[in-house]
Amino acid sequence: MTVLDGLVGTGSRLVVEEPERFRVHRDSMMSPEILAEEHAKIFEHNWLYVGHESEIANPGDYVRRRVGGRPVFMVRGAKSGKVNVFHNSCTHRGAVVCRQDRGNAKVFQCFYHAWTFDSEGTLSGVPDREAYGGTLDWEGLALRSVARVESYRGFVFCCYDPEVVGLVEYLAGAKDYLDLIIDAAPADMEIVRGTNEYGMDANWKLLVENSIDGYHAVSTHDTYFKYLVALGTDLSVGVTGTAHDLGNGHAVLEYEAPWGRPVAKWEPLFGEDAKASVDGLRAGLVERFGEERAHRMADLNRNMLIYPNLIVNDIMALTVRTFVPTAPDHMEVTAWEMAPREEQPDVRQRRLDSFLTFLGPGGFATPDDIEALESCQQGFTSGGVEWNDISRGMTREPRANDEAQMRAFWRRWRADMDRVDRTVNP
């Protein structure tokens, strides 16, 4: 018998909070039934990240994505200039109509029967249309838009639930941190072309926890920190900062950066030649925002979760990462690098080097994290231990190496999974 048998309210059965103790049952990481329930109650009813507007700057530009496990594509309408997000399915017989990951197209043609749709979703071509005798419902057979699509500061989200609250209300306190990150750039932000894509044999919520976990940094990434020290980086400040519950399941870990940041924090590793340009960026921040806000922009790292599965890592590079579960013990991860437009080549080079060296799947940190998370997943199957403990820091003001940010996620997860008005479709 497990904790799931014969009871009601999945969330409350699996997440138990007491005054000084917070526990999560390991069935939440292993059960196919729980994953099916998550798809129905979480991924179908919350705002999910699709992409960034800079990826489709021109009319007809498009990118293909899997959002909440569903194939969709985002395209800039050629007539309206609007960002459209369509279900990637021909309205005739169902085949996908966007078959490339990115590009520019005047039309999207289903390869099966060659029905054609334009970038606004309008059905524009049907071979041998005379067979329908003039009864073809051209308007009714247009591509289907995802129920809700909204954008904030260039970040495009969609939701399959038409009744969801507006995106700004949903983002809650995370909105202020997106503002902080975007405002720090001297120009509009863009997604740098190219992605890191990889998978791991671990439950998707383990990566949620890991992405905002300051407690594991020193022990798990020991090799990388020694590498930085060998290159001259001063890490004596450690991980000093705090965590914030941003509402609606979002959370952020904010702490002093012990390393250089391309936004405006120079360190010897950048080289003396770069000092003047980085100091110039910092002076620009002070002029525009004052010393206090410029300090936050330049000197503090941020690891932010936007519930349920968007991570914005503003550290030695600015990384946007999302992931989708394909099984209780497997997920697919996609990460992009974000940077100011027309950034100086040497600054851009340092940013991309950090994106690959620390954050990439072949870098110093991500392989460590994958090893740790897959190790957890393997350990779960050993049995004998039912609960994970996420109580660290409950009896004091949150610190960067505590677990308040994870508790924020799990409380929202519990509330979503307790809801009985959402249909489960295994």
Side-chain angles (χ1 to χ4, degrees):
M1 179 159 179
T2 75
V3 72
L4 295 176
D5 292 333
L7 299 171
V8 176
T10 304
S12 293
R13 283 180 276 147
L14 298 176
V15 179
V16 175
E17 182 170 9
E18 299 163 344
E20 297 181 356
R21 196 174 187 195
F22 195 104
R23 296 180 297 154
V24 175
H25 199 278
R26 294 182 178 181
D27 276 354
S28 63
M29 306 284 192
M30 303 171 64
S31 162
E33 291 76 18
I34 293 297
L35 178 60
E37 194 170 346
E38 289 175 334
H39 275 295
K41 293 183 174 180
I42 295 176
F43 292 103
E44 293 294 308
H45 295 277
N46 286 290
W47 287 100
L48 304 173
Y49 180 67
V50 181
H52 192 265
E53 290 190 32
S54 62
E55 297 179 89
I56 53 168
N58 303 304
D61 284 354
Y62 67 88
V63 293
R64 183 176 65 162
R65 298 281 149 80
R66 287 191 71 83
V67 177
R70 298 200 202 188
V72 303
F73 68 103
M74 178 172 74
V75 57
R76 178 80 64 178
K79 296 177 182 175
S80 66
K82 175 184 169 188
V83 174
N84 297 308
V85 180
F86 295 116
H87 293 278
N88 194 0
S89 178
C90 180
T91 53
H92 176 218
R93 298 277 288 279
V96 299
V97 297
C98 180
R99 292 165 54 83
Q100 303 295 324
D101 285 341
R102 63 180 301 138
N104 183 280
K106 291 183 179 178
V107 295
F108 298 88
Q109 185 178 68
C110 175
F111 85 107
Y112 193 11
H113 298 96
W115 282 33
T116 304
F117 304 86
D118 68 17
S119 57
E120 308 290 358
T122 304
L123 177 61
S124 56
V126 175
D128 193 21
R129 65 189 66 175
E130 293 77 13
Y132 293 93
T135 63
L136 195 65
D137 182 6
W138 291 81
E139 184 175 345
L141 290 166
L143 289 178
R144 296 291 187 274
S145 296
V146 174
R148 293 282 297 275
V149 177
E150 291 187 23
S151 172
Y152 185 75
R153 303 298 301 266
F155 291 79
V156 179
F157 294 76
C158 74
C159 184
Y160 301 113
D161 181 354
E163 304 301 321
V164 69
V165 299
L167 178 61
V168 169
E169 179 181 349
Y170 177 78
L171 289 174
K175 182 179 79 66
D176 297 335
Y177 282 85
L178 286 178
D179 289 341
L180 190 75
I181 292 168
I182 300 301
D183 289 343
D188 290 342
M189 286 288 206
E190 64 177 358
I191 291 290
V192 180
R193 187 165 182 171
T195 58
N196 286 331
E197 299 180 31
Y198 51 97
M200 69 180 85
D201 292 326
N203 185 273
W204 68 278
K205 299 184 292 297
L206 286 173
L207 186 54
V208 169
E209 293 182 346
N210 170 265
S211 299
I212 49 175
D213 178 11
Y215 190 32
H216 81 290
V218 173
S219 54
T220 305
H221 303 308
D222 178 65
T223 301
Y224 180 65
F225 292 144
K226 286 178 178 173
Y227 164 77
L228 289 178
V229 169
L231 293 176
T233 301
D234 181 7
L235 299 181
S236 59
V237 65
V239 180
T240 304
T242 188
H244 302 282
D245 180 341
L246 301 176
N248 291 337
H250 319 312
V252 67
L253 184 66
E254 191 172 45
Y255 53 102
E256 291 281 345
W259 40 64
R261 285 167 44 81
V263 57
K265 184 176 187 290
W266 181 85
E267 69 160 340
L269 188 59
F270 288 176
E272 288 295 330
D273 292 345
K275 192 169 190 309
S277 63
V278 176
D279 287 349
L281 290 171
R282 189 186 190 92
L285 291 181
V286 173
E287 181 179 350
R288 285 187 289 152
F289 302 106
E291 286 284 355
E292 182 179 352
R293 191 165 176 81
H295 165 70
R296 288 187 67 197
M297 291 171 163
D299 300 331
L300 302 188
N301 289 326
R302 278 161 286 275
N303 295 57
M304 179 164 66
L305 161 70
I306 295 180
Y307 183 92
N309 66 336
L310 173 64
I311 302 294
V312 180
N313 281 329
D314 179 21
I315 43 181
M316 68 284 285
L318 177 52
T319 300
V320 178
R321 180 168 70 196
T322 188
F323 35 91
V324 293
T326 58
D329 57 356
H330 189 81
M331 76 183 94
E332 302 294 335
V333 185
T334 305
W336 299 266
E337 175 62 10
M338 176 171 277
R341 291 185 189 276
E342 301 176 357
E343 190 173 40
Q344 293 185 15
D346 58 332
V347 178
R348 176 65 63 92
Q349 182 58 45
R350 284 193 294 276
R351 183 189 298 277
L352 292 177
D353 183 67
S354 294
F355 180 55
L356 294 174
T357 304
F358 182 63
L359 297 157
F364 279 94
T366 298
D368 294 338
D369 290 329
I370 292 174
E371 172 68 17
L373 303 191
E374 290 188 342
S375 177
C376 291
Q377 197 73 40
Q378 293 163 18
F380 295 158
T381 64
S382 177
V385 181
E386 289 191 75
W387 299 87
N388 281 353
D389 189 281
I390 309 182
S391 308
R392 186 175 170 83
M394 285 187 78
T395 59
R396 65 183 185 189
E397 286 297 312
R399 298 177 184 174
N401 59 359
D402 286 338
E403 294 166 343
Q405 61 277 28
M406 295 170 212
R407 293 191 288 274
F409 166 82
W410 280 111
R411 289 184 185 112
R412 172 68 185 225
W413 185 91
R414 178 178 61 193
D416 276 350
M417 295 293 278
D418 272 349
R419 291 190 59 167
V420 295
D421 56 342
R422 294 177 175 175
T423 303
V424 177
N425 298 306

